[in-house]
Amino acid sequence: MPQDALHALIPRLATSVACDILRKHAPERLLMQGVRAMWPAPGLAAGPARTLRYLPQRCDVKTAPGGNARTKLLDSLNPGEMVVIDTMRGHGPVVGDLTGLRTLRAGAAGVVTDGPVRDMPEVAQTGLPIFAAGVMPAIPEAPELAWEHDAPIQCGGVLVLPGDWILADAEGVLVVPKSLLGALVAGADALMSEEAFSRALIDRGHNLADSFPIPARLRPAYEAWRKSGVLPDEATVRGA
Amino acid sequence: MPQDALHALIPRLATSVACDILRKHAPERLLMQGVRAMWPAPGLAAGPARTLRYLPQRCDVKTAPGGNARTKLLDSLNPGEMVVIDTMRGHGPVVGDLTGLRTLRAGAAGVVTDGPVRDMPEVAQTGLPIFAAGVMPAIPEAPELAWEHDAPIQCGGVLVLPGDWILADAEGVLVVPKSLLGALVAGADALMSEEAFSRALIDRGHNLADSFPIPARLRPAYEAWRKSGVLPDEATVRGA
Amino acid sequence: MPQDALHALIPRLATSVACDILRKHAPERLLMQGVRAMWPAPGLAAGPARTLRYLPQRCDVKTAPGGNARTKLLDSLNPGEMVVIDTMRGHGPVVGDLTGLRTLRAGAAGVVTDGPVRDMPEVAQTGLPIFAAGVMPAIPEAPELAWEHDAPIQCGGVLVLPGDWILADAEGVLVVPKSLLGALVAGADALMSEEAFSRALIDRGHNLADSFPIPARLRPAYEAWRKSGVLPDEATVRGA
Amino acid sequence: MPQDALHALIPRLATSVACDILRKHAPERLLMQGVRAMWPAPGLAAGPARTLRYLPQRCDVKTAPGGNARTKLLDSLNPGEMVVIDTMRGHGPVVGDLTGLRTLRAGAAGVVTDGPVRDMPEVAQTGLPIFAAGVMPAIPEAPELAWEHDAPIQCGGVLVLPGDWILADAEGVLVVPKSLLGALVAGADALMSEEAFSRALIDRGHNLADSFPIPARLRPAYEAWRKSGVLPDEATVRGA
Amino acid sequence: MPQDALHALIPRLATSVACDILRKHAPERLLMQGVRAMWPAPGLAAGPARTLRYLPQRCDVKTAPGGNARTKLLDSLNPGEMVVIDTMRGHGPVVGDLTGLRTLRAGAAGVVTDGPVRDMPEVAQTGLPIFAAGVMPAIPEAPELAWEHDAPIQCGGVLVLPGDWILADAEGVLVVPKSLLGALVAGADALMSEEAFSRALIDRGHNLADSFPIPARLRPAYEAWRKSGVLPDEATVRGA
Amino acid sequence: MPQDALHALIPRLATSVACDILRKHAPERLLMQGVRAMWPAPGLAAGPARTLRYLPQRCDVKTAPGGNARTKLLDSLNPGEMVVIDTMRGHGPVVGDLTGLRTLRAGAAGVVTDGPVRDMPEVAQTGLPIFAAGVMPAIPEAPELAWEHDAPIQCGGVLVLPGDWILADAEGVLVVPKSLLGALVAGADALMSEEAFSRALIDRGHNLADSFPIPARLRPAYEAWRKSGVLPDEATVRGA
């Protein structure tokens, strides 16, 4: 199952590495715009998406026809899930310290929204990873409407379907379609290994032209290093 | 029926007048943001909303699960309806000359979208009123997805439910919730009458303080004018 | 009096010409930002500034301590004056058809504001020049406060003191400090004359290098043209 | 006196809590836009506003008619006051390390401005809380003009009258009109108590629907907890 | 030669049609951002690019090392060429009435820049098509530097190489790389023909689903129409 | 040599101090816009500029005519140099952990770009100072083109010529033209000394009016302090 392999990868993964692996799939279009980490959480937050869609408040609509979809979503979370909230870049905060605490106690992996959040100092203390468009302390007298959950949404300009994976860290929030999970897992080892080889050469003082991306003439040396862990000597790298 | 009375009002109405009538209902929150007339159509375009919701394209999704919702909406239009399209401020044009011509032939009252449109010179020649976020000639190779129609949407930051009325002119696009149609019709006569009285006084050279809003001491003169069409004399207006 | 000479200049002047004349006085800092003509008025609107300062509305303040300063200003206008309104880029419209009509009947030369206005189709029909940040049909239930008039303000990022001259046309709105009025009048003739000479040469097909700005070697030819109206021959212009 | 009670509240207060207490007074309109903490000061900075109004520089105006209002304000500060500076979102920095040090030595509670500031590393070391629109190291050759002090201003789009209270922390800057100080103090205890009860339930693993906002059926349990400090048992909370 | 065929196409072409023809080549990346027609020129302006690159002014650099590149470019124009100016979204106007008149007299097809221009009322009277980021009447005391001409540039975010074709109209400015000119010419007839067929069907009242894009079952009818000019009957279109 | 003196100054310098010293040279125009420190590097990064110019990618151009200019620049760096990259505010990241590591191993003083960068957590760990427009983890499938190096560029709206000095810290990035290096070094001692005197007075509790800027009547006391290190007594400062 790609999901299990992905779980095992998370400690070594970053959104930038995932983008490199998915480079043939236009990852720049899978990256949310205007959404960033609200406090410097360590490492990568990742998990399958549970979606929530907001619509703007209006004088004649007090609540969504099906009731408050936010409460329903947060009270039905399973461990490891990522909450993803489409606010159409709305102006009122949709998560705060109490809803954040509920999310954490439910075992969720994090929260992503393209609207503002609040109570970030308190949320940061709990350790819940939050990715949002900014902070705003006031809930308007007529807040926006939590309309439906677990339906297709956009968030930060990217389509999110229930069950897609979300990868989020200090550099961005990436939506990985379910159909690409296998490609992500399959490509991770090769990419990280190639970058480690290049990094070792650069760290020893070599030029970019001799180390990254790995030149064709150094492919055999790279394969040898993969097996033996022994770097080629300096003359070999320089092609002298 | 408020709808019939509203139809009769349209030739004399403007979005600014409607906002004045609905002033107790926070009309500034019913006005779309970032949506404007694409060509200087004469007068007011108005009608009940038929809604269409787009979601962003993605490498693994070629079309919406239910098929192309735009074609379905445009092929089921009834005369007098306003097409309202939620693109989440998307980047690809959602209406052009051929879709515009189809909309016009179906008898629609106009098109409103918070994304870009194209072929505006051709559309302007047909006379179809279009309100949008701008123009863009290119349809991306992977265009955004027409996901569903006749469902609740946002457009320009305002909630639009199927059946709400849309009023659109050179100054803006106003969403009138179905429950406010009666208030709109009921308030129109009084407001337009009061403004006509004020306008006549100002036009004759009176101060704002003596003419707009109508001072309490001139209420009897206003009522007299409503019946007789005769303006009070200048000394009366000045309170001399 | 520079004012009288300036009045005589207006039919031939443009904001771009005034900026050229004042080029040693950093005219780019005297140009309002984000303020533009609301309808394509013919020519230049110009006159001494009558200032009005707005402050944001707030739940506990219903009106300015001294009463509605807008009514006071508009009811005390003199012919030829320019109304200049500091809204701190506010969100509610500060001028509409009735206040515009009052301004016109008072003989004002135009209205400038860094906030929105409304009823522009009606205002355009009256012919009153309006320069603003945009249009918005709705007056909020709690509108911003017309706080004081005839006091120093900013408008569009430029300091405006009562009595400064305002020059406004399709390309921008320029504040001319009272102390620069003399320089503006004094420089106009020379500049317009030099540009007419250059234009005549370019129109005849000459290179920029030979016509604009006037090369030193053609100064005598320019002076001759000023007296006689006769352009130098082509060989002279080309320096052949 | 509300002020004294407010002083006592400050260590437990946050702008988000104050917004919740004032929710019936449209707190989202009392929050400054585009103004944020320049360094992560601990807790809440709060105090009565001392106001300063800037106007844009201009080639013919070297200083405000009444002299440099900034120097006058900073040299007349009383302990506990908040300096609030209206720069109309100006471009030159209005506070740096020396003016910041003067503000601190005068005992002020903090500085708020909608323009940029400078020397933030040095200011952060002194501990003076600063809330601004950003940083900019250069003072322009012709800096903006400190025009008047202790007069009504806008800052970040909010009306500030001398004597209003300013509450500022990592999430925003809130203007509390003098007339609402009593409501703020009166509402604080009830709100913080209700949230503590909800937090305790959520922390124990309860659903949002059973804990926040407190459901009507748990009101007696809440009142009991206020007196005894004993939470209701789990079955009671679940309404089983 | 594609250039000759392209010249013949211009009267029937539009940027939107060209984008459709080039749809497999990501035309959205060939469209300039933030550049639009400065006055409503009729039809399409098109021609091979002559490029000009500006760099920002600085206190210590009075002119480009090679002299004023703008004068050199404008004095070496050939008929039919499009002037394309990279200002890096600069703030001072780079074309006005005299430089525009020179451009027109040289026979150029138009001017495109991602910075502001000036004197647009005068330029519009001459008929020279101008596409720019906006208008600004003042030339700063220290204007930006016309650094080099006929070199690779960006304009509006698109790479422009000398000799690329520029297509510009009311909807946008498109850069057509020299290597795509053949594809553009080759695809034009087929596309315009298919759209004319669809337009005729829609105009007769048919559904989008039956007319655009042309359904596979109507391909024979389309081919017949191309030869005979006779539209299929209504039943055939409806697939009845 | 000013460069050597400048090297000695770096530990005591800041961009704000440099701006003050260069105040007669319009330093606000030498400050990059939209470029900021990507991680809170200690102190000032400074050195002579090595420039790199990007141009936008396009479907028909796979690489710059002269090869990858980024690799050439990074493989020819000398210790102490600052890499300055003109991306025209481009959208793809131009520096990451491997290129950053190469830059660091080459001994560079830092990297400045007006586009995004990536891998900032990894780069921050190496200690390489990076100033950029933001972060973005994905390299687009068709990345922008590293066109040429060591040529004149703009970066953040400022002209940068090879050999100019770049000064960058938490408050901004300043370009110091080679011709102003002498003025910078010459002015540093006097300015820092005057500010230290003012700071000592303010720290002792004096008013701004008596301490900053140093009033003319305290000039002798300042000169005495420079020699003796003894501050004037309080009565002298107050002018009592």
Side-chain angles (χ1 to χ4, degrees):
Chain A
M1 293 288 292
Q3 280 90 332
D4 299 333
L6 199 45
H7 268 297
L9 261 181
I10 290 177
R12 293 187 299 145
L13 208 56
T15 56
S16 59
V17 174
C19 288
D20 285 347
I21 300 170
L22 300 178
R23 191 151 167 210
K24 296 291 177 206
H25 304 276
E28 66 272 27
R29 297 186 187 172
L30 299 171
L31 274 171
M32 294 188 188
Q33 302 294 311
V35 178
R36 60 186 197 283
M38 286 295 103
W39 59 272
L44 184 79
R50 289 293 301 278
T51 63
L52 177 59
R53 183 190 177 204
Y54 272 75
L55 281 173
Q57 66 81 212
R58 212 172 67 176
C59 52
D60 63 324
V61 183
K62 295 300 167 215
T63 186
N68 188 327
R70 185 181 72 165
T71 299
K72 291 183 181 179
L73 180 79
L74 298 186
D75 282 347
S76 69
L77 286 174
N78 301 302
E81 292 175 339
M82 289 285 279
V83 177
V84 186
I85 307 175
D86 171 358
T87 69
M88 314 141 306
R89 298 178 191 171
H91 297 305
V94 294
V95 174
D97 58 348
L98 294 179
T99 43
L101 185 61
R102 169 64 197 145
T103 304
L104 191 78
R105 284 289 169 272
V111 176
V112 173
T113 174
D114 59 3
V117 289
R118 54 180 275 174
D119 303 323
M120 279 308 101
E122 289 77 13
V123 171
Q125 281 183 334
T126 68
L128 178 72
I130 299 254
F131 302 82
V135 295
M136 186 202 182
I139 299 175
E141 197 175 338
E144 307 199 45
L145 302 159
W147 197 265
E148 59 179 341
H149 60 93
D150 294 308
I153 60 170
Q154 74 79 32
C155 187
V158 181
L159 176 65
V160 184
L161 301 178
D164 289 334
W165 266 59
I166 307 297
L167 275 59
D169 62 14
E171 302 217 290
V173 179
L174 183 73
V175 178
V176 183
K178 223 181 305 184
S179 61
L180 292 183
L181 290 178
L184 180 61
V185 170
D189 266 340
L191 182 92
M192 293 197 219
S193 171
E194 290 187 17
E195 294 212 338
F197 181 75
S198 292
R199 185 176 295 108
L201 295 184
I202 292 170
D203 201 29
R204 203 168 71 182
H206 287 288
N207 276 349
L208 274 185
D210 293 333
S211 13
F212 176 73
I214 302 175
R217 66 184 160 76
L218 289 184
R219 274 279 145 188
Y222 164 68
E223 297 297 343
W225 170 84
R226 282 200 80 170
K227 285 172 197 142
S228 68
V230 180
L231 282 178
D233 62 29
E234 302 206 4
T236 302
V237 176
R238 283 198 306 272
Chain B
M1 293 286 291
Q3 279 91 332
D4 299 331
L6 198 46
H7 268 296
L9 262 181
I10 290 176
R12 294 187 298 144
L13 209 57
T15 56
S16 60
V17 174
C19 287
D20 285 347
I21 300 170
L22 299 178
R23 189 148 169 215
K24 298 289 177 209
H25 303 276
E28 67 271 26
R29 295 188 189 170
L30 298 171
L31 276 170
M32 293 187 188
Q33 301 294 313
V35 178
R36 61 185 196 283
M38 285 297 102
W39 57 274
L44 185 79
R50 291 293 302 278
T51 63
L52 179 58
R53 180 187 179 207
Y54 272 75
L55 282 173
Q57 67 81 214
R58 210 170 71 176
C59 52
D60 62 325
V61 183
K62 295 301 168 215
T63 186
N68 187 326
R70 185 180 72 164
T71 298
K72 291 184 181 177
L73 180 79
L74 297 186
D75 283 347
S76 68
L77 284 175
N78 301 303
E81 292 174 338
M82 289 285 279
V83 177
V84 186
I85 307 174
D86 171 0
T87 70
M88 314 142 306
R89 300 177 190 171
H91 298 303
V94 294
V95 174
D97 60 348
L98 294 179
T99 44
L101 185 61
R102 169 63 197 144
T103 304
L104 190 78
R105 285 289 169 272
V111 176
V112 173
T113 174
D114 58 3
V117 290
R118 55 180 273 174
D119 304 322
M120 279 307 101
E122 290 76 12
V123 171
Q125 281 183 335
T126 69
L128 178 72
I130 299 254
F131 302 83
V135 294
M136 187 202 181
I139 299 176
E141 198 175 338
E144 306 197 46
L145 302 159
W147 197 264
E148 58 179 340
H149 62 92
D150 295 307
I153 59 170
Q154 73 79 31
C155 186
V158 182
L159 176 66
V160 184
L161 302 178
D164 289 334
W165 265 59
I166 306 298
L167 275 59
D169 63 13
E171 303 218 290
V173 179
L174 183 73
V175 178
V176 183
K178 224 182 303 185
S179 61
L180 293 183
L181 289 178
L184 180 60
V185 170
D189 266 339
L191 183 91
M192 292 197 220
S193 172
E194 290 187 17
E195 295 211 339
F197 181 75
S198 293
R199 186 176 294 107
L201 294 185
I202 293 170
D203 202 28
R204 203 168 71 183
H206 288 288
N207 276 351
L208 274 186
D210 294 332
S211 16
F212 176 71
I214 303 175
R217 64 181 162 78
L218 289 184
R219 275 277 145 188
Y222 165 67
E223 297 297 343
W225 169 85
R226 284 200 79 172
K227 285 172 198 143
S228 68
V230 179
L231 282 179
D233 61 29
E234 302 208 3
T236 302
V237 175
R238 284 198 307 271
Chain C
M1 294 287 292
Q3 280 91 333
D4 299 333
L6 199 45
H7 269 295
L9 261 181
I10 290 176
R12 293 188 298 144
L13 208 56
T15 55
S16 59
V17 174
C19 288
D20 285 347
I21 300 169
L22 299 178
R23 189 150 168 211
K24 297 290 178 207
H25 303 277
E28 67 271 25
R29 296 187 188 171
L30 298 171
L31 275 171
M32 294 187 188
Q33 302 294 312
V35 178
R36 61 185 196 283
M38 285 296 103
W39 57 274
L44 184 78
R50 291 293 300 278
T51 63
L52 177 60
R53 181 189 179 206
Y54 272 75
L55 282 174
Q57 66 81 214
R58 211 172 68 176
C59 51
D60 63 325
V61 183
K62 296 300 166 214
T63 186
N68 187 326
R70 186 182 70 165
T71 299
K72 291 184 180 178
L73 180 79
L74 297 186
D75 283 346
S76 69
L77 284 174
N78 301 302
E81 292 174 339
M82 289 285 279
V83 176
V84 187
I85 307 174
D86 172 359
T87 70
M88 313 141 306
R89 300 178 190 172
H91 298 304
V94 294
V95 173
D97 60 348
L98 293 179
T99 43
L101 185 61
R102 170 64 197 144
T103 304
L104 190 78
R105 285 289 169 271
V111 176
V112 173
T113 173
D114 58 3
V117 290
R118 54 180 274 172
D119 304 323
M120 279 308 101
E122 290 76 12
V123 171
Q125 281 183 334
T126 69
L128 178 72
I130 299 255
F131 302 83
V135 294
M136 186 202 182
I139 300 175
E141 199 176 335
E144 307 199 44
L145 302 158
W147 196 264
E148 59 179 339
H149 61 93
D150 295 307
I153 60 169
Q154 74 78 32
C155 186
V158 181
L159 176 66
V160 184
L161 302 178
D164 289 333
W165 266 59
I166 307 298
L167 275 59
D169 62 14
E171 302 219 290
V173 179
L174 183 73
V175 178
V176 183
K178 224 182 304 184
S179 62
L180 293 183
L181 289 178
L184 179 61
V185 170
D189 266 340
L191 182 91
M192 292 196 221
S193 171
E194 291 187 17
E195 294 211 338
F197 181 76
S198 292
R199 185 176 295 109
L201 295 184
I202 292 170
D203 201 29
R204 202 168 72 184
H206 287 287
N207 275 350
L208 275 185
D210 292 332
S211 11
F212 176 73
I214 304 174
R217 64 182 162 76
L218 288 184
R219 274 279 145 188
Y222 164 67
E223 296 297 344
W225 170 83
R226 284 201 78 171
K227 283 172 198 143
S228 68
V230 179
L231 283 178
D233 61 29
E234 303 207 4
T236 303
V237 175
R238 284 198 306 271
Chain D
M1 293 287 292
Q3 280 90 334
D4 299 332
L6 199 47
H7 268 297
L9 263 182
I10 290 176
R12 293 188 299 145
L13 209 56
T15 56
S16 59
V17 174
C19 287
D20 285 347
I21 300 171
L22 299 178
R23 192 153 166 208
K24 298 288 176 207
H25 303 277
E28 67 271 27
R29 296 188 189 171
L30 299 170
L31 275 171
M32 294 188 188
Q33 301 295 312
V35 178
R36 61 185 196 283
M38 285 296 103
W39 58 274
L44 184 79
R50 290 293 301 278
T51 64
L52 177 59
R53 180 187 178 208
Y54 272 76
L55 281 173
Q57 66 81 213
R58 211 171 69 176
C59 52
D60 63 324
V61 182
K62 295 301 168 214
T63 186
N68 187 326
R70 185 181 72 165
T71 298
K72 291 185 180 176
L73 180 78
L74 297 186
D75 283 346
S76 70
L77 285 175
N78 302 303
E81 292 175 339
M82 289 284 280
V83 176
V84 186
I85 307 174
D86 172 359
T87 69
M88 314 141 305
R89 300 177 190 171
H91 297 304
V94 293
V95 173
D97 60 347
L98 293 179
T99 44
L101 185 62
R102 170 62 197 143
T103 304
L104 190 79
R105 284 289 169 273
V111 176
V112 173
T113 174
D114 58 4
V117 290
R118 55 180 273 174
D119 303 325
M120 280 306 101
E122 289 76 13
V123 171
Q125 281 183 335
T126 70
L128 178 71
I130 299 253
F131 302 82
V135 295
M136 187 203 181
I139 299 176
E141 198 175 337
E144 306 199 47
L145 302 159
W147 197 264
E148 58 180 340
H149 61 92
D150 295 307
I153 60 170
Q154 74 78 32
C155 186
V158 182
L159 176 66
V160 184
L161 302 178
D164 289 333
W165 266 59
I166 307 298
L167 274 60
D169 62 15
E171 302 217 290
V173 180
L174 183 74
V175 179
V176 183
K178 223 182 304 183
S179 62
L180 292 183
L181 290 178
L184 180 61
V185 169
D189 266 339
L191 183 91
M192 292 197 220
S193 172
E194 291 188 16
E195 295 211 337
F197 180 76
S198 292
R199 187 176 294 107
L201 294 185
I202 293 170
D203 202 28
R204 204 168 70 182
H206 287 286
N207 275 351
L208 274 186
D210 293 332
S211 15
F212 176 71
I214 303 175
R217 66 181 159 78
L218 289 184
R219 273 280 145 187
Y222 165 66
E223 296 298 341
W225 170 83
R226 284 201 79 173
K227 285 174 198 140
S228 69
V230 179
L231 283 179
D233 61 31
E234 301 207 3
T236 302
V237 175
R238 284 198 306 270
Chain E
M1 294 286 293
Q3 280 91 332
D4 299 331
L6 199 46
H7 268 296
L9 262 182
I10 289 176
R12 294 187 297 145
L13 209 57
T15 56
S16 59
V17 174
C19 288
D20 285 346
I21 301 170
L22 299 178
R23 189 148 170 214
K24 298 289 177 208
H25 304 277
E28 67 270 27
R29 297 189 188 170
L30 299 170
L31 276 171
M32 293 187 189
Q33 302 294 314
V35 177
R36 62 185 196 282
M38 285 296 103
W39 58 273
L44 184 79
R50 291 292 302 279
T51 63
L52 177 59
R53 180 188 178 207
Y54 272 75
L55 282 173
Q57 67 81 214
R58 211 171 70 176
C59 51
D60 62 324
V61 182
K62 296 300 167 214
T63 186
N68 187 326
R70 184 181 72 163
T71 298
K72 291 184 180 178
L73 179 79
L74 297 186
D75 283 347
S76 69
L77 284 175
N78 301 302
E81 291 175 339
M82 290 284 280
V83 177
V84 186
I85 308 175
D86 172 359
T87 69
M88 314 142 304
R89 301 178 189 172
H91 297 304
V94 294
V95 173
D97 60 347
L98 294 179
T99 44
L101 185 62
R102 170 63 198 144
T103 304
L104 190 79
R105 284 290 168 271
V111 176
V112 173
T113 172
D114 58 4
V117 291
R118 54 179 273 173
D119 304 323
M120 280 306 101
E122 290 76 12
V123 171
Q125 281 183 333
T126 69
L128 178 71
I130 299 254
F131 302 83
V135 295
M136 186 201 181
I139 300 176
E141 198 175 337
E144 307 198 45
L145 302 159
W147 197 263
E148 58 179 340
H149 61 91
D150 296 307
I153 60 169
Q154 75 76 32
C155 186
V158 182
L159 176 65
V160 184
L161 301 179
D164 289 333
W165 265 59
I166 307 297
L167 275 59
D169 62 14
E171 303 218 290
V173 179
L174 183 74
V175 178
V176 183
K178 222 181 305 185
S179 61
L180 292 183
L181 289 179
L184 180 60
V185 169
D189 267 338
L191 183 91
M192 292 197 221
S193 172
E194 291 187 17
E195 294 211 339
F197 181 75
S198 293
R199 185 176 294 107
L201 294 185
I202 292 171
D203 202 28
R204 204 168 70 183
H206 287 287
N207 276 350
L208 275 185
D210 293 332
S211 12
F212 176 74
I214 303 174
R217 64 182 161 78
L218 289 183
R219 274 280 144 188
Y222 164 68
E223 296 297 343
W225 169 84
R226 284 201 78 170
K227 285 172 195 142
S228 67
V230 179
L231 283 179
D233 60 30
E234 302 207 4
T236 303
V237 175
R238 284 197 305 271
Chain F
M1 293 288 292
Q3 279 91 332
D4 299 333
L6 199 45
H7 268 297
L9 261 182
I10 290 176
R12 293 188 299 144
L13 209 55
T15 56
S16 59
V17 174
C19 287
D20 285 347
I21 300 170
L22 299 179
R23 189 148 167 213
K24 297 289 176 207
H25 304 277
E28 67 271 26
R29 297 187 188 172
L30 298 170
L31 275 171
M32 294 188 189
Q33 302 294 313
V35 178
R36 61 185 197 282
M38 285 296 102
W39 57 274
L44 185 78
R50 290 294 299 279
T51 63
L52 177 59
R53 181 188 178 207
Y54 272 75
L55 281 173
Q57 67 80 214
R58 212 171 68 176
C59 52
D60 64 323
V61 183
K62 297 300 167 215
T63 186
N68 187 326
R70 185 181 73 164
T71 298
K72 290 184 180 178
L73 179 79
L74 297 186
D75 283 346
S76 70
L77 285 175
N78 301 302
E81 292 175 338
M82 290 284 280
V83 176
V84 186
I85 307 174
D86 172 359
T87 70
M88 314 142 305
R89 299 175 191 173
H91 297 303
V94 294
V95 173
D97 59 347
L98 294 178
T99 44
L101 184 63
R102 169 63 196 146
T103 304
L104 190 78
R105 285 290 169 273
V111 176
V112 173
T113 173
D114 58 4
V117 289
R118 55 180 272 172
D119 304 324
M120 280 306 102
E122 289 76 12
V123 171
Q125 281 183 334
T126 69
L128 177 73
I130 299 253
F131 302 82
V135 294
M136 186 202 181
I139 299 176
E141 198 174 337
E144 306 197 46
L145 302 158
W147 198 262
E148 59 180 339
H149 61 91
D150 295 308
I153 60 170
Q154 74 78 33
C155 186
V158 181
L159 176 65
V160 184
L161 302 178
D164 289 333
W165 265 60
I166 307 297
L167 275 59
D169 62 15
E171 303 218 290
V173 179
L174 183 74
V175 178
V176 183
K178 223 183 303 186
S179 62
L180 292 183
L181 289 179
L184 180 61
V185 169
D189 266 340
L191 182 91
M192 292 198 219
S193 171
E194 291 187 18
E195 294 211 339
F197 181 74
S198 293
R199 185 176 294 108
L201 294 185
I202 291 170
D203 202 29
R204 204 168 71 183
H206 288 286
N207 276 350
L208 274 186
D210 293 332
S211 14
F212 176 72
I214 303 175
R217 66 183 160 77
L218 289 184
R219 274 280 145 187
Y222 164 68
E223 298 296 344
W225 170 83
R226 284 201 80 172
K227 286 173 197 141
S228 69
V230 179
L231 283 179
D233 61 30
E234 301 206 4
T236 302
V237 175
R238 283 198 307 271

